Amino acid sequence: MSYATEIRGPLVLGNKKLSQVSDDIIAPVGARPGKWWYAGMFIASLMLVYGTYALYITFTVGIGSWNVNNSVGWGWEIINFVWWIGIGHAGTAFSIFLLLLRQTWRTSINRAAEAMTVAAVLCAALFPLIHMGRPWLFFFIAPYPNTRGPLWVNYNSPLFWDFMAISAYLLISASFWYLGMIPDFATIRDKATTKVKKAVYSLLSFGWTGSSREWMRYEATGFVLGGIAAVLVVSVHSIVSTDFASSVIPGWHTTLFPPYFVVGAIFSGFAMVMTLMILIRNIYKLHDYVTDRHLDAIARILVFISLIMGTAYLTELFMAWYSGNEYEGFLIFKNRVTGKFAFEFWAMFICNAIIPQLFWSKRIRRNLTLAFIISLIINLGMWYERFNIIVTSLSRSYLPSTWVSYHPTFIEVGIYLGTIGLFTTAVLLFFRYIPMIAIHEVKSVLKHNETEHGMIEPNTGEQ
Amino acid sequence: MKTSKKAIIGVFGSEDSLMDALCRLLAENLEPAEIYTPYPVHAALRALKRRSRLSWAAWFYGFFGGIAVLAFLYYTAVIDWPLNYGGKPFNAFPSFITITLVLIILIVTILTLLTFSVRAKIYPFKKAEIIDERVTDDKFIIVFDADKVNRDQLYASLKEAEAEEIIEK
């Protein structure tokens, strides 16, 4: 049984008919985009070229082309890995938790969130790969019968868990996303006016007809994948955090890390969902589908998660003092709150724990320009958080003789910009060739409008 | 009314009119061969007693997958090539749990998708057998096997249920 409240208002505005929903959402698919699209693609391509060059140097010269060293063994690459995987969390988290909780307002947003997840996880997966030094031997991490013994992998290592978890997460996110698109591809196929479009979307729709037997199994599969991916969402980032927490480096060796990482990941991902949804809504004039209330709901979630983040940061400070551990105290109070890395610490704290509190104000939640800027600020803050965790801890460890500075090289910056280019390219292709909103799911919630808000026969083809 | 056509199709414009018609037709013992809708209509699935056993299949995949993973870990870490990691027991069971969980998820995902593909007959390069193109847009369709129903009774019932169109294919 589903439950909808009057408080939330209609999920789709404009008293839409079913066919209008199809037409509105399909209209941009395959249509010639505006100049902004080509400009965006051009900039993304430049970033990709720079990234490809940086990767080429990394592969041919080796990790010596980066500035990581004996002390700061993890640099921008791991910062960016954690940043991307964090962003990649929200898509599936958003879709799956709200699916399992039967939240119907997810329907306008889940597709974009899932697409973003797949793109972000692809970007994230690149970093551990190139960090191996000899990326062409990456398959050594998989447990398979080999000629080296057979020497099996260490099943107690979080790095191995990480490899398996991210592979599983990529597979499940991509499957969940694609599964959701099959009925929509069939809609495009059946409404296509050109032969090429019909052929392409026929191929993509896997023979979907919309029969009750298909729908029954489709929904069952969605719930099974959703249920197990919900566990995966929590475990992937917990595992990423144990990459750090299972070591004995000050600032890392803490049981706070798994929940802190999971919440942080969902925080950055939701912020990215907000960024994308504001863009989609304004560029494609989809105000009736992505309503003020949708963005308002995301902003409310952000303000709540921001409070958790603030609490986590304060807990770190408290535990550094309360534990009486001089190394923790030195790291946190002399190297984060004050000292060499104070700027990065306060940037993180202000961006993640203070600025999102502005969303308490309804006026700011409804001002999309401000909401857009805040969503970008959150992702900047989350980048600083990972910088804080990785660089401050490694560059100021136990022995002063091992203390070093760390700045990225031209190559490291290139790889990061390259992944931003890859992400942007993927998102722009998504804007152009894939329905940005789940058509069949939006249709299924039109009924709520009718029953909850007294709209008479809004979902019929006939009036 | 003699014809070689196989299916009689009632076309409806909304979920409500589909449900009204479906309840009326089922009450008259006119069992549809299939219904086609633009989105899942749960009431219709219940009325037609369509229930998927996919979640049971997934449970079994998870259960046996979990046993298989633990057996594999035990074989490789204890029997085939035991390695001493800081004095931990070879069968470091508690720390095997994380990877077991992740691999169970991987196994369940892959096998559930395959099961869905096989059972629902949704797979790459499949050519869709489209009954009516409008069904993925805004129409709700009830299909009857012409050989298994009383044609005149069905026509009368569909008209009474206010079908927008009645088509034979």
Side-chain angles (χ1 to χ4, degrees):
Chain A
M1 291 292 287
S2 58
Y3 175 74
T5 62
E6 267 296 344
I7 302 164
R8 200 166 272 155
L11 295 164
V12 179
L13 302 175
N15 212 7
K16 301 278 182 194
K17 296 173 189 170
L18 290 176
S19 58
Q20 263 180 302
V21 174
S22 312
D23 294 339
D24 287 352
I25 300 173
I26 289 174
V29 178
R32 187 173 280 276
K35 281 183 186 151
W36 63 270
W37 193 89
Y38 292 99
M41 210 58 176
F42 178 70
I43 295 167
S45 305
L46 288 182
M47 287 180 175
L48 265 177
V49 169
Y50 182 14
T52 312
Y53 166 74
L55 280 181
Y56 170 75
I57 297 295
T58 302
F59 285 173
T60 51
V61 174
I63 288 182
S65 59
W66 303 349
N67 249 353
V68 288
N69 48 54
N70 262 354
S71 298
V72 185
W74 284 357
W76 264 45
E77 292 67 33
I78 299 296
I79 296 172
N80 298 329
F81 159 65
V82 182
W83 190 69
W84 276 121
I85 197 83
I87 290 172
H89 248 69
T92 309
F94 194 97
S95 265
I96 285 165
F97 290 134
L98 299 183
L99 170 77
L100 298 177
L101 297 170
R102 316 256 175 176
Q103 292 293 304
T104 43
W105 64 274
R106 63 187 266 286
T107 54
S108 297
I109 296 168
N110 59 352
R111 173 68 48 74
E114 289 165 22
M116 177 208 79
T117 286
V118 176
V121 176
L122 275 177
C123 293
L126 177 75
F127 289 104
L129 186 76
I130 55 172
H131 219 297
M132 289 176 172
R134 296 190 187 94
W136 48 92
L137 297 178
F138 80 95
F139 57 89
F140 275 21
I141 203 169
Y144 67 101
N146 53 62
T147 52
R148 303 183 298 280
L151 191 63
W152 300 98
V153 293
N154 180 2
Y155 304 118
N156 306 310
S157 164
L159 295 173
F160 170 63
W161 302 344
D162 217 359
F163 167 74
M164 295 311 294
I166 288 167
S167 309
Y169 188 64
L170 185 59
L171 177 86
I172 201 166
S173 305
S175 314
F176 198 72
W177 176 55
Y178 198 88
L179 190 73
M181 288 190 298
I182 289 174
D184 291 355
F185 284 147
T187 306
I188 303 177
R189 171 197 70 199
D190 293 342
K191 296 200 96 166
T193 45
T194 64
K195 272 189 177 171
V196 176
K197 200 170 180 181
K198 206 169 190 80
V200 169
Y201 287 97
S202 287
L203 197 67
L204 293 173
S205 61
F206 286 12
W208 181 267
T209 59
S211 70
S212 65
R213 287 182 174 86
E214 285 174 355
W215 279 123
M216 164 190 77
R217 295 183 177 114
Y218 173 87
E219 290 226 302
T221 309
F223 267 98
V224 168
L225 291 192
I228 53 172
V231 181
L232 195 61
V233 165
V234 176
S235 67
V236 170
H237 228 76
S238 299
I239 289 171
V240 172
S241 78
T242 51
D243 289 345
F244 298 89
S246 59
S247 72
V248 285
I249 303 287
W252 289 8
H253 193 62
T254 160
T255 48
L256 177 69
F257 261 33
Y260 169 41
F261 267 53
V262 172
V263 172
I266 293 173
F267 188 48
S268 60
F270 266 62
M272 188 60 94
V273 169
M274 179 171 246
T275 312
L276 277 184
M277 289 324 296
I278 292 175
L279 285 177
I280 287 176
R281 172 186 150 112
N282 287 343
I283 293 172
Y284 291 102
K285 309 273 178 269
L286 291 170
H287 297 71
D288 289 341
Y289 299 94
V290 184
T291 64
D292 285 344
R293 286 169 188 275
H294 284 102
L295 296 170
D296 192 87
I298 302 178
R300 285 168 192 234
I301 292 174
L302 282 174
V303 82
F304 172 64
I305 306 178
S306 165
L307 285 173
I308 304 180
M309 296 306 292
T311 310
Y313 298 149
L314 294 177
T315 307
E316 273 197 317
L317 301 189
F318 175 76
M319 288 312 295
W321 166 74
Y322 187 67
S323 67
N325 182 318
E326 56 194 288
Y327 299 104
E328 283 284 330
F330 173 72
L331 177 86
I332 300 287
F333 296 111
K334 302 284 186 194
N335 284 304
R336 286 194 186 168
V337 179
T338 61
K340 188 174 163 61
F341 297 105
F343 172 78
E344 285 83 357
F345 175 84
W346 288 106
M348 165 192 89
F349 198 88
I350 291 167
C351 292
N352 294 340
I354 308 288
I355 292 177
Q357 300 305 319
L358 292 170
F359 280 143
W360 282 104
S361 155
K362 190 173 182 176
R363 275 178 57 194
I364 292 176
R365 288 202 302 272
R366 295 290 166 105
N367 181 334
L368 293 189
T369 312
L370 276 178
F372 185 76
I373 293 169
I374 294 173
S375 71
L376 291 177
I377 286 175
I378 290 173
N379 265 314
L380 183 69
M382 289 309 293
W383 192 90
Y384 276 121
E385 181 192 300
R386 278 64 180 252
F387 181 90
N388 262 296
I389 292 170
I390 292 168
V391 176
T392 58
S393 283
L394 289 175
S395 66
R396 292 288 183 274
S397 190
Y398 296 104
L399 282 176
S401 58
T402 63
W403 290 0
V404 288
S405 288
Y406 167 76
H407 298 286
T409 60
F410 178 68
I411 301 301
E412 291 176 277
V413 176
I415 297 171
Y416 179 48
L417 288 180
T419 53
I420 294 178
L422 178 66
F423 181 80
T424 314
T425 308
V427 166
L428 288 172
L429 289 174
F430 162 70
F431 281 179
R432 185 161 178 187
Y433 294 109
I434 288 168
M436 284 168 281
I437 292 174
I439 304 171
H440 69 279
E441 296 204 38
V442 168
K443 284 177 185 168
S444 70
V445 300
L446 284 184
K447 185 88 177 139
H448 279 285
N449 285 0
E450 190 183 359
T451 51
E452 293 297 317
H453 304 285
M455 296 179 187
I456 296 160
E457 292 189 331
N459 66 339
T460 61
E462 305 296 314
Q463 288 286 328
Chain B
M1 208 154 64
K2 198 84 177 157
T3 169
S4 62
K5 288 174 179 166
K6 291 279 169 62
I8 301 172
I9 300 166
V11 181
F12 297 88
S14 72
E15 183 184 329
D16 290 340
S17 52
L18 170 91
M19 281 315 297
D20 289 346
L22 194 61
C23 293
R24 182 189 293 261
L25 293 162
L26 286 172
E28 292 176 31
N29 283 329
L30 289 164
E31 184 78 30
E34 185 53 288
I35 62 166
Y36 293 82
T37 52
Y39 55 86
V41 179
H42 298 126
L45 295 178
R46 275 195 297 275
L48 292 170
K49 298 192 176 62
R50 299 248 193 276
R51 281 183 69 86
S52 171
R53 286 165 293 172
L54 235 149
S55 44
W56 282 106
W59 192 89
F60 280 103
Y61 298 151
F63 183 76
F64 291 108
I67 292 173
V69 169
L70 284 172
F72 175 76
L73 296 183
Y74 188 84
Y75 167 73
T76 54
V78 180
I79 299 168
D80 191 46
W81 195 278
L83 272 179
N84 188 337
Y85 293 105
K88 285 180 189 167
F90 295 136
N91 180 23
F93 180 70
S95 72
F96 284 177
I97 293 297
T98 314
I99 191 64
T100 308
L101 186 73
V102 171
L103 288 174
I104 287 174
I105 292 171
L106 191 61
I107 289 168
V108 172
T109 304
I110 293 169
L111 293 181
T112 305
L113 284 170
L114 282 176
T115 312
F116 166 73
S117 177
V118 170
R119 293 292 294 148
K121 298 188 182 67
I122 297 291
Y123 47 84
F125 305 106
K126 188 194 169 193
K127 196 166 164 38
E129 292 157 11
I130 299 167
I131 293 282
D132 191 313
E133 287 194 338
R134 295 170 298 172
V135 83
T136 52
D137 186 16
D138 63 344
K139 296 297 177 200
F140 299 75
I141 281 174
I142 308 183
V143 180
F144 291 88
D145 190 334
D147 298 332
K148 291 184 182 169
V149 288
N150 180 329
R151 184 181 300 270
D152 297 331
Q153 185 197 354
L154 179 61
Y155 261 76
S157 298
L158 283 173
K159 275 183 189 150
E160 213 170 298
E162 294 176 0
E164 287 178 2
E165 290 171 52
I166 303 171
I167 309 168
E168 290 204 35
K169 276 192 175 174

